[in-house]
Amino acid sequence: TVSDELLKKDSPVKSVLELGAGCGLCGLLLAANGLDVIVTDTSTGYAGADKTWNNMVSNVEANTDAIEAHGGRIQALDLDWTASEGVPRVDLAVGADIIYEPHLFRALMD
């Protein structure tokens, strides 16, 4: 699986950007396994976005010490990935269930 490949010690992937992270679970798991991860979501892009953002930030804060103890790093970034500005350079970008609306698909492909 992709996750098995990412977690191999000789994997070339060291930094990961999770798009539309929601609660941040995928990014938290990758970071807990030693990767440098940026979990992203928007705090204003849709109804309830502020609650999703606050939940993700709380999850990152609650797990940062344990992640760092395992050699990983994690940070949260308020990012509207439909706008190309501000997207950090990383080895790999991941996302789950992020193109549930047609306009999001075009933005991801651009």
Side-chain angles (χ1 to χ4, degrees), residues 17 29 31 33-34 39-40 43 65 68-70 82-83 87 93 107 109:
L17 177 72
L29 290 171
N33 281 280
V39 289
T40 71
S43 63
D65 290 343
E68 289 177 354
H70 287 90
T82 63
V87 178
M109 298 309 292

Side-chain angles (χ1 to χ4, degrees), residues 8-69:
K8 285 183 179 178
K9 294 299 177 196
D10 61 347
S11 172
V13 175
K14 302 299 180 209
S15 60
V16 178
L17 177 72
E18 184 182 7
L19 298 171
C23 68
L25 179 60
C26 178
L28 288 163
L29 290 171
L30 292 170
N33 281 280
L35 295 173
D36 184 357
V37 179
I38 303 169
V39 289
T40 71
D41 217 310
T42 177
S43 63
T44 60
Y46 56 91
D50 58 329
K51 291 180 176 74
T52 300
W53 169 256
N54 291 336
N55 183 48
M56 183 180 72
V57 169
S58 293
N59 290 338
V60 167
E61 290 172 350
N63 289 282
T64 296
D65 290 343
I67 286 168
E68 289 177 354

